[in-house]
Amino acid sequence: MTRVKVIPENKKNIIDKIIEMSGENIRDCMQCGKCSAGCPASDGMDLLPHQVIRLLQLGQIDRIVESKSIWNCASCFTCAQRCPRNIDIANIMEAIRLTIIRCVGNSRLKADDVPSKVDCKMPQQAIVSGFRKYNK
Amino acid sequence: MSVEAKETVMGNKNEFEPLIVAFCCNWCSYAGADLAGTSRLSYPANVKIIRVPCSCRVNANFVLRAFQRGADGVVIAGCHPGDCHYSTGNYYTRRRFSLLTNFLEYVGIEQERFKVDWISAAEGNKFATVMNDVLEKVHRLGPNRKLRDARWKR
Amino acid sequence: MQRIGVFVCWCGTNIAGTVNIEKVIAAAGEMPGVVYAKDYQYMCSAVGQNLVKNTIKEQKLDRVVIASCSPRMHEATFRKTAKVAGLNPYLVEVANIREHCSWIHKNKEEATKKAIALTRAAVAKVALNTALIAGEIGVESRALVIGGGIAGIQTALDIAEAGYEVDIIEKSPSIGGKMAQIDKTFPTLDCSACILTPKMVDVSTHPNINIYTYSELENVKGYVGNFEVTMNQRARSVNMEKCIGCGICTDKCPSKKAKSEFEEGLRNRSAIYTPFPQAIPNVPVIDREACIKFKTGKCGLCETVCPAGAIEFSQEDTKITKKYGAIVVAIGYDIIALDKFGEYAYTNHQDVITSLEFERLTNAAGPTGGKLVRPSDHKKPKKVVFVQCVGSRDKTERGKTYCSKICCMYTAKHAMLIRDKYPDIETYVFYIDVRTPGKNFDEFHRRAVEEYGVNYIKGMVGKIFPDGEKLQVHGVDALTGDTIKIDADMVVLAAATKAKEDAEDLGRKLSISTDTNNFFTEAHPKLKPVETHCAGIYLAGACQGPKDIPETVAQASGAAAKAIGLLSKDKLVNNPCISEVDEKICSGCLACTKICPYDAITSKVITFNDHGKITKRVVAQVNKALCQGCGGCTVACRPGAIDIKGFTNKQILAEVDALCR
Amino acid sequence: MNMKYSYYPGCTLKTKAQDLEKFALDSAKTLGVALQEQKEWQCCGAVYPLATDEIATKLSSVRSLAEAYQKGEKLVTLCAACHHVIKRVNEDMKHKEDIRKKVNNYLQLPNDYEGECEVIHYLEMLRDEIGFESLAQKVKKPLKNRKIGAYYGCLLLRPSKVMKFDDPENPSIIEDFIKALGATPIIYPYRTECCGGYLAIDQKDVVEKMTQNIFESASKYGVEEIVTACPLCKYNLEISGFGDENNISISYFTELLAEALGVK
């Protein structure tokens, strides 16, 4: 384990951007973990939702970007519905995803890959959603 | 307001130092102003407070006199409706000053210069916000000249 | 010419840090009427007050302005100082250059300018001050305690012991409150009933104490020392004098389907009932909504079986009006409803219960005789999960933003009691933070962990899934980041405390304020914790904010001491800043009488000599004891005949002029 | 009874989920409700844009809303995703000044749109406009002895502050609907848990785990059929194969409706 710096200078901008994009105040979080406890997609997550928020509070953005948790989030709003601090965690997850995929070439879902992922029954809704969530 | 218009006002801001007279009831709003102080919330020094026992103590005359003597804005602050220390005082305030607001407009004083608001003893924050808000509006309107007594130079 | 003295306080660096005191002194010296201006580091200290005192005498000052902190802080102090120096206390004005100036502004030049302006306004006002003499009012030497829980009981006992009469008014059929429902008390685990019931008996037998149960406060008139209170004693349908408390009626009553409030709905009660065996008074009451006689006109079995002939179906509500010198509010708290917390399945599963229900389940006098069983199937649970902060520290509209304060301790207590009695039952506590400040409190919590093996898990529960006989609890351990699944048999929810539903309404009747959470507001959060802003009304217990029993009792004794202090006085000094009618100008329209909230203005007929002709005329007159000095009448007066002493039209206009200069 | 609404179908209903629409429209006719498909509706985008700086992705919803408002009609939706997006965009137009201003500046409609239109889901129309009682009276073939579990999914319920559809943790609207059709609703704990949604496209393993939980719960409580209002939920539940394993069939609620009304 290496010692980390709390809110490193060079991460301030991106954290501010995430906060602005999400419209949520991450300082409201008191780490009760209710979001993680109820998250139906938590099974495959390497960072639980409350840990994502904690890392954001500490400015450790790189660890969030590397994790697969943000891509496991299905925007089901269960966390937002129950958060006692009124934080819409789904918005924060979205903001983090966007800061990544909005960089040129960073789209997670490329148009060329789509045919291989789609079967004949998959509704349009899934494809459009996937595109909106993973591609810019 | 166009972008240009805004700039001129901002330009004047340095020269124009508006004066706001605030009548605050002893039980809620004056205590709210105290709390703003205790919490070190800042609002401009142009706001000066006069303590009255209840907002219903404020006579329309006082407001007119302030405008006449060169105040650029007047605020009356009392307890929230239902919370008056004297049970019903602020209801009178509300009725009296909705009439005065109309009258002021009639004599040419912009409505934004005069504000009646409810600020409780726990709302230091609100006190600062209301004062900043009124000041900003008065800044935009410029000095009050309509009722000002020509002999009264500030 | 007047001789005004101006004293400017530094308040250490609080004022002197941002205000140039020298400049204020210099400017004050130039103000009309000012003959003396002086500064000092701490004007409120003994040395500072002596400076004021001596200067008043030496300089023969006839008026004083103190430029210092808020008058809400030290106006009374400096008035006293003036009085000692032989000056009428109402010839003192305070310019607030701390809260309204030095603490707000950072620019020294600006702040200094404002301090001078505020001082000028105070000087202008004080020049018009007149000597005022406070009147005196009598004190009714009886106290009213609203609420018969432990707070009310302790208050009443203390006041009664001091030799004053006390009335307790209690909404429910018996005194005792929440403490009577509780099984054991932390941190000593002594039985709640064992320490409470003797006190209840003391209350009922004390010659100075009167209890009005099943009664509600209807309205309050008057003021400190002279409150006139009307209460409504609801019809009990049982004659209190005749009833011998044998309990035959409750046994025989055929309507047994009402939910017992005392047992938190875990047991049914009859329509005629005593809430619990130790109830005081031990006289049953008929719940008219559940009673067959009242619903259908048929039955009346209780009347037939009563050996004392105490049943009175025809009883009606009675109004009682009494006078009191002091009032103590001790209405307690409630816990929030959990219907909005669907994820905990409280409303749709019987084995998810609140902590208060748990108290009844472990209580030897409770519905299960103290045997811990699941409400659904009466089987002994193997795993019990406790969830803390259900609705506490919750910023959403379904919860409360504050910490409920008592849950950490009682949850530790509950888990400990289970492990003590049934070592084979596993207990888990989900918490956000454990907050146990208090004497022997944290030791208590640690004992639960270390000695009793209660599993504390830092994290919350996301959802509880009913799963056959079990309750599948999905939680998280926030420290390791592991999600957790527990197959529990029972879940206990620490629901947030909240102010009583009727607190706001009662506050309005008493003219005392409530905060955003509807808890009553104390006069000062640190220095006046039991007083309210309304003189003569005090607070005790959880109606002022969440509190445990030791704190409640301490505050109750504090409130009692304050009430005793008030009742021990023969006379009280009035506020002299009240309305005054100038009969020469009064036109007798009596517009003022209609708006006075205290009915303090009436009319009278005066005779006067109009150039030799004697005529009679109606004018308004102010009752000095009733007027509270709001000043509403002064504005309503068309000829300007009513003015309010201490805040006269002239004084306020002088302030306006001074500020606008 | 003659009720008229603007109707927003959405792309999925025109392609992969034609069943959902066909049964809904046929049933509506039987119930005396006129659903007028909007002329130039555009895809809602399927997911509500959560970031505060996304405006363009909200425009299509506003166009539909403004058109319905102009006609003085309520806007009925059928697909859960469309309902979610349009309802939330409508709330934004009502309450978020910044978004309202930008959208109106962009669209340049004859009149500024400020969230005046009321959006209701087909189920809400049945509950609040027609009423489940009068629906029950129109049922020709009651679905007797059928044990049906409602699967709500996320989009209709959450966030409840905005959706105001039903209690987010203990909803009852679909159960009441099932009851009105003469069948037996079965309440099982996982009926409001997410199925994985659009993760279907990229993370099938996660979806599989989530749908498995739902089926296990449903099966344990004796559910024989699951009904849903969302094409993606239906797809995820079907593709998982757990339905066949547990002998649970999956259908749209409209199919049930049409069957009970005798128009299937």
Side-chain angles (χ1 to χ4, degrees):
Chain A
M1 283 260 169
T2 47
R3 279 182 203 284
V4 298
K5 209 172 162 202
V6 176
I7 316 181
E9 205 55 46
N10 60 347
K11 301 293 176 210
K12 273 188 180 148
N13 275 341
I14 182 159
I15 291 168
D16 286 349
K17 183 75 198 156
I18 290 171
I19 292 172
E20 193 197 323
M21 251 201 267
S22 68
E24 302 296 316
N25 184 1
I26 55 165
R27 285 188 187 273
D28 279 354
C29 173
M30 52 187 196
Q31 291 290 299
C32 71
K34 195 164 173 101
C35 45
S36 306
C39 177
S42 67
D43 250 14
M45 288 186 177
D46 47 357
L47 283 178
L48 291 177
H50 80 278
Q51 291 174 316
V52 171
I53 311 272
R54 185 63 191 146
L55 288 169
L56 263 188
Q57 286 175 339
L58 292 176
Q60 304 300 314
I61 186 78
D62 292 346
R63 283 169 65 188
I64 303 172
V65 171
E66 285 159 17
S67 88
K68 52 181 188 176
S69 296
I70 42 173
W71 307 108
N72 270 23
C73 165
S75 303
C76 74
F77 310 110
T78 306
C79 47
Q81 182 67 44
R82 296 177 189 156
C83 174
R85 308 304 291 171
N86 236 346
I87 302 175
D88 197 329
I89 298 132
N91 286 357
I92 294 175
M93 293 289 193
E94 177 92 344
I96 301 170
R97 281 191 293 262
L98 287 177
T99 50
I100 297 170
I101 60 169
R102 276 183 186 175
C103 295
V104 176
N106 264 3
S107 284
R108 190 172 164 88
L109 184 68
K110 310 250 166 24
D112 295 345
D113 298 342
V114 171
S116 67
K117 292 177 186 287
V118 172
D119 60 53
C120 63
K121 277 185 164 177
M122 185 179 276
Q124 270 63 21
Q125 185 192 344
I127 303 161
V128 179
S129 306
F131 249 85
R132 279 276 159 93
K133 288 282 181 186
Y134 300 142
N135 184 300
K136 279 290 150 187
Chain B
M1 194 186 295
S2 71
V3 180
E4 291 78 21
K6 200 164 195 173
E7 270 167 9
T8 28
V9 173
M10 299 309 263
N12 282 343
K13 200 165 181 174
N14 297 331
E15 295 145 41
F16 170 45
E17 265 197 40
L19 171 74
I20 311 284
V21 175
F23 294 94
C24 291
C25 89
N26 182 39
W27 305 97
C28 288
S29 309
Y30 194 88
D34 278 2
L35 184 62
T38 325
S39 322
R40 311 294 199 276
L41 303 168
S42 83
Y43 54 86
N46 321 21
V47 176
K48 307 215 163 77
I49 298 169
I50 293 177
R51 183 165 70 128
V52 287
C54 174
S55 58
C56 71
R57 171 66 189 96
V58 182
N59 198 314
N61 271 340
F62 302 166
V63 178
L64 296 175
R65 173 83 144 228
F67 279 126
Q68 198 180 10
R69 294 293 199 237
D72 301 292
V74 175
V75 177
I76 298 176
C79 310
H80 284 269
D83 286 347
C84 179
H85 179 79
Y86 304 101
S87 310
T88 52
N90 50 8
Y91 294 136
Y92 292 108
T93 313
R94 187 163 62 183
R95 261 186 266 167
R96 283 170 187 160
F97 289 100
S98 58
L99 288 180
L100 185 75
T101 312
N102 294 340
F103 172 73
L104 285 176
E105 204 183 9
Y106 177 73
V107 296
I109 298 262
E110 298 86 343
Q111 286 206 4
E112 287 91 340
R113 291 191 190 275
F114 176 62
K115 187 169 178 71
V116 178
D117 213 328
W118 317 122
I119 302 168
S120 84
E123 294 176 328
N125 248 324
K126 185 174 177 190
F127 187 88
T129 323
V130 169
M131 294 309 152
N132 282 320
D133 185 46
V134 171
L135 244 137
E136 198 195 304
K137 282 182 182 146
V138 169
H139 253 300
R140 240 180 257 165
L141 291 170
N144 147 41
R145 303 194 185 285
K146 287 276 161 50
L147 258 188
R148 183 176 293 194
D149 190 331
R151 294 160 299 178
W152 193 269
K153 286 228 177 69
R154 178 151 70 83
Chain C
M1 187 60 198
Q2 283 162 336
R3 297 186 62 81
I4 302 174
V6 177
F7 298 86
V8 184
C9 179
W10 295 35
C11 197
T13 56
N14 279 313
I15 294 172
T18 28
V19 171
N20 186 332
I21 303 279
E22 260 175 56
K23 279 192 181 164
V24 178
I25 294 285
E30 302 288 309
M31 293 175 195
V34 176
V35 294
Y36 185 86
K38 181 84 184 132
D39 59 315
Y40 184 67
Q41 272 94 341
Y42 295 100
M43 205 60 80
C44 59
S45 68
V47 185
Q49 290 194 51
N50 276 333
L51 170 78
V52 177
K53 252 182 266 177
N54 295 337
T55 316
I56 291 174
K57 286 178 197 155
E58 284 161 18
Q59 298 286 329
K60 301 195 174 60
L61 299 180
D62 61 2
R63 275 163 179 79
V64 170
V65 167
I66 316 271
S68 62
C69 54
S70 170
R72 290 172 61 86
M73 194 81 165
H74 275 311
E75 189 177 60
T77 315
F78 292 116
R79 277 185 176 165
K80 232 177 266 171
T81 313
K83 198 176 171 190
V84 175
L87 191 66
N88 182 291
Y90 294 90
L91 294 171
V92 176
E93 283 295 329
V94 176
N96 186 347
I97 62 168
R98 193 179 75 174
E99 281 85 345
H100 292 185
C101 184
S102 71
W103 275 353
I104 299 286
H105 313 304
K106 294 189 181 70
N107 180 326
K108 196 157 183 172
E109 196 189 334
E110 258 187 0
T112 308
K113 249 168 82 184
K114 182 167 175 184
I116 294 172
L118 294 176
T119 310
R120 180 178 295 118
V123 169
K125 185 180 180 194
V126 84
L128 298 166
N129 276 20
T130 49
L132 301 178
I133 292 159
E136 284 183 334
I137 44 173
V139 179
E140 189 74 34
S141 63
R142 186 189 302 120
L144 175 68
V145 175
I146 307 172
I150 180 61
I153 289 172
Q154 185 65 43
T155 311
L157 283 173
D158 285 358
I159 297 174
E161 275 303 300
Y164 298 98
E165 255 187 76
V166 195
D167 289 355
I168 297 178
I169 170 170
E170 163 63 43
K171 211 171 171 182
S172 72
S174 168
I175 59 168
K178 289 269 186 302
M179 191 176 167
Q181 291 178 279
I182 295 174
D183 179 32
K184 301 265 171 24
T185 54
F186 57 75
T188 48
L189 292 184
D190 41 358
C191 138
S192 180
C194 314
I195 53 178
L196 176 70
T197 39
K199 272 190 189 286
M200 286 166 65
V201 174
D202 287 351
V203 164
S204 67
T205 53
H206 203 291
N208 281 346
I209 302 180
N210 250 316
I211 307 174
Y212 296 95
T213 48
Y214 217 42
S215 305
E216 279 175 81
L217 190 117
E218 200 152 276
N219 75 64
V220 180
K221 282 196 262 186
Y223 44 90
V224 55
N226 297 275
F227 295 106
E228 195 180 293
V229 176
T230 307
M231 45 193 151
N232 182 34
Q233 190 164 35
R234 288 168 62 199
R236 209 177 181 99
S237 316
V238 178
N239 186 315
M240 301 258 282
E241 314 286 312
K242 287 187 189 161
C243 174
I244 52 172
C246 66
I248 294 176
C249 53
T250 55
D251 281 349
K252 298 283 182 209
C253 175
S255 163
K256 288 201 161 53
K257 293 229 179 81
K259 292 261 173 252
S260 161
E261 295 83 0
F262 183 78
E263 299 289 1
E264 290 293 312
L266 292 171
R267 182 149 72 182
N268 289 348
R269 59 158 171 81
S270 42
I272 181 165
Y273 71 105
T274 352
F276 53 105
Q278 299 79 23
I280 288 199
N282 186 19
V283 175
V285 47
I286 295 181
D287 171 359
R288 296 192 170 182
E289 259 148 47
C291 173
I292 300 170
K293 172 87 178 171
F294 279 100
K295 280 197 295 191
T296 66
K298 289 174 203 136
C299 186
L301 196 59
C302 48
E303 193 178 23
T304 327
V305 298
C306 179
I311 309 292
E312 290 175 359
F313 294 120
S314 60
Q315 239 183 44
E316 279 174 16
D317 294 5
T318 40
K319 301 254 187 285
I320 300 163
T321 301
K322 274 175 113 169
K323 288 194 87 174
Y324 300 97
I327 297 176
V328 179
V329 185
I331 60 168
Y333 71 101
D334 265 326
I335 55 174
I336 59 166
L338 294 179
D339 49 334
K340 288 200 184 115
F341 291 83
E343 69 266 32
Y344 294 126
Y346 174 75
T347 43
N348 44 24
H349 202 291
Q350 278 188 297
D351 297 333
V352 181
I353 59 172
T354 65
S355 303
L356 206 51
E357 287 166 28
F358 185 86
E359 292 284 352
R360 297 312 304 156
L361 277 185
T362 52
N363 195 313
T368 60
K371 226 171 80 188
L372 182 65
V373 293
R374 290 156 46 106
S376 61
D377 54 9
H378 294 274
K379 281 189 196 154
K380 187 175 130 188
K382 293 189 195 76
K383 284 183 184 175
V384 181
V385 169
F386 292 88
V387 185
Q388 293 198 196
C389 287
V390 176
S392 300
R393 306 173 71 197
D394 185 325
K395 281 176 87 169
T396 66
E397 66 275 15
R398 61 182 190 166
K400 302 286 178 190
T401 50
Y402 49 83
C403 164
S404 289
K405 201 172 185 178
I406 53 177
C407 326
C408 283
M409 282 302 281
Y410 70 58
T411 301
K413 176 188 77 176
H414 290 164
M416 202 189 270
L417 286 174
I418 294 183
R419 297 284 294 166
D420 188 43
K421 230 171 168 179
Y422 315 97
D424 56 325
I425 298 182
E426 291 296 328
T427 51
Y428 305 84
V429 177
F430 283 93
Y431 68 96
I432 301 176
D433 293 296
V434 171
R435 297 180 163 177
T436 49
K439 195 171 167 184
N440 292 326
F441 278 21
D442 201 57
E443 293 89 326
F444 182 83
H445 153 241
R446 288 311 306 169
R447 239 168 69 214
V449 179
E450 294 162 19
E451 289 174 32
Y452 289 87
V454 178
N455 300 305
Y456 268 76
I457 301 162
K458 181 179 163 60
M460 276 303 266
V461 167
K463 185 160 176 158
I464 295 170
F465 297 93
D467 187 18
E469 285 200 351
K470 298 273 181 186
L471 290 158
Q472 212 183 81
V473 178
H474 284 197
V476 71
D477 181 86
L479 297 176
T480 58
D482 290 332
T483 48
I484 289 175
K485 190 156 98 180
I486 299 174
D487 284 321
D489 301 288
M490 198 169 161
V491 176
V492 185
L493 304 176
T497 59
K498 64 161 189 181
K500 284 268 184 193
E501 247 6 289
D502 56 352
E504 206 186 346
D505 185 46
L506 182 68
R508 201 163 292 147
K509 283 174 185 164
L510 292 166
S511 300
I512 59 176
S513 51
T514 48
D515 63 17
T516 46
N517 295 309
N518 278 345
F519 288 116
F520 294 117
T521 321
E522 61 281 8
H524 188 283
K526 277 149 278 182
L527 301 178
K528 288 183 177 175
V530 304
E531 291 97 325
T532 62
H533 277 298
C534 190
I537 300 183
Y538 308 101
L539 303 174
C543 62
Q544 181 239 353
K547 271 186 199 66
D548 58 20
I549 296 170
E551 252 187 289
T552 295
V553 172
Q555 199 194 11
S557 288
K562 289 285 168 191
I564 294 165
L566 169 61
L567 299 181
S568 67
K569 288 182 181 138
D570 296 333
K571 296 270 176 214
L572 287 177
V573 178
N574 236 350
N575 169 20
C577 298
I578 53 168
S579 292
E580 192 179 37
V581 181
D582 186 340
E583 291 175 359
K584 290 197 293 296
I585 306 174
C586 178
S587 65
C589 72
L590 301 181
C592 50
T593 59
K594 290 177 194 76
I595 76 153
C596 179
Y598 303 99
D599 292 331
I601 312 180
T602 48
S603 63
K604 70 170 176 186
V605 178
I606 54 164
T607 41
F608 68 103
N609 189 332
D610 184 11
H611 299 98
K613 204 171 112 199
I614 304 291
T615 26
K616 285 189 176 176
R617 200 154 66 80
V618 174
V619 293
Q621 95 173 320
V622 178
N623 180 329
K624 284 181 187 154
L626 290 178
C627 175
Q628 299 291 299
C630 68
C633 53
T634 60
V635 183
C637 181
R638 279 165 283 213
I642 292 198
D643 214 342
I644 178 161
K645 289 186 273 188
F647 293 97
T648 61
N649 290 329
K650 274 189 181 163
Q651 282 177 308
I652 295 176
L653 288 175
E655 279 184 276
V656 171
D657 291 354
L659 287 181
C660 294
R661 212 181 73 118
Chain D
M1 199 169 3
N2 195 14
M3 296 191 270
K4 242 180 103 193
Y5 301 95
S6 288
Y7 163 61
Y8 178 94
C11 10
T12 311
L13 302 196
K14 291 296 177 194
T15 51
K16 300 284 165 62
Q18 288 173 3
D19 280 3
L20 175 56
E21 180 177 40
K22 181 181 176 305
F23 293 130
L25 295 180
D26 291 350
S27 304
K29 210 180 278 171
T30 317
L31 292 167
V33 177
L35 293 182
Q36 182 70 47
E37 183 173 326
Q38 290 196 309
K39 269 195 196 121
E40 289 181 355
W41 60 267
Q42 298 158 324
C43 171
C44 68
V47 284
Y48 168 74
L50 295 170
T52 51
D53 57 357
E54 297 216 29
I55 296 298
T57 38
K58 292 179 176 167
L59 297 177
S60 66
S61 301
V62 178
R63 284 198 189 100
S64 279
L65 287 161
E67 194 197 309
Y69 177 60
Q70 204 107 75
K71 287 174 79 179
E73 290 172 353
K74 291 181 185 175
L75 183 61
V76 171
T77 54
L78 189 47
C79 165
C82 299
H83 183 67
H84 184 89
V85 175
I86 296 175
K87 178 106 184 186
R88 287 189 80 171
V89 169
N90 200 33
E91 280 309 287
D92 286 348
M93 294 301 285
K94 235 187 264 181
H95 301 300
K96 295 191 181 153
E97 201 188 329
D98 168 52
I99 291 175
R100 179 166 58 225
K101 212 161 143 192
K102 283 183 185 158
V103 168
N104 278 316
N105 282 347
Y106 196 97
L107 286 179
Q108 297 287 321
L109 299 163
N111 294 311
D112 274 6
Y113 179 72
E114 298 184 342
E116 298 96 334
C117 181
E118 197 181 330
V119 198
I120 54 171
H121 187 262
Y122 194 93
L123 276 164
E124 288 178 300
M125 180 188 81
L126 292 178
R127 178 187 63 188
D128 306 331
E129 313 266 313
I130 296 172
F132 285 145
E133 269 180 32
S134 48
L135 170 64
Q137 285 165 6
K138 294 204 167 122
V139 166
K140 291 214 179 78
K141 298 181 189 161
L143 313 176
K144 267 185 201 143
N145 302 323
R146 285 168 63 175
K147 293 181 177 161
I148 305 175
Y151 178 68
Y152 283 88
C154 322
L155 298 171
L156 290 178
L157 294 173
R158 293 184 290 261
S160 64
K161 240 188 301 186
V162 177
M163 300 310 292
K164 298 189 184 85
F165 185 75
D166 203 341
D167 183 319
E169 308 281 356
N170 286 311
S172 61
I173 178 168
I174 304 187
E175 278 80 7
D176 293 342
F177 165 77
I178 295 170
K179 234 182 275 172
L181 302 186
T184 314
I186 305 277
I187 290 179
Y188 60 104
Y190 272 74
R191 67 203 163 113
T192 57
E193 292 288 292
C194 175
C195 68
Y198 56 77
L199 295 182
I201 200 155
D202 208 26
Q203 318 214 33
K204 297 207 168 33
D205 51 327
V206 181
V207 175
E208 192 168 317
K209 183 81 198 125
M210 292 163 84
T211 46
Q212 187 181 358
N213 288 336
I214 295 163
F215 275 108
E216 272 174 13
S217 172
S219 148
K220 197 161 192 176
Y221 278 76
V223 172
E224 288 163 3
E225 292 171 51
I226 285 181
V227 290
T228 171
C230 169
L232 186 47
C233 292
K234 183 161 182 272
Y235 169 79
N236 280 341
L237 293 175
E238 270 172 353
I239 205 83
S240 70
F242 297 116
D244 302 334
E245 255 172 56
N246 292 296
N247 249 339
I248 297 176
S249 63
I250 302 133
S251 54
Y252 289 120
F253 75 99
T254 50
E255 193 174 341
L256 232 53
L257 177 64
E259 192 183 337
L261 292 175
V263 291
K264 185 180 169 182

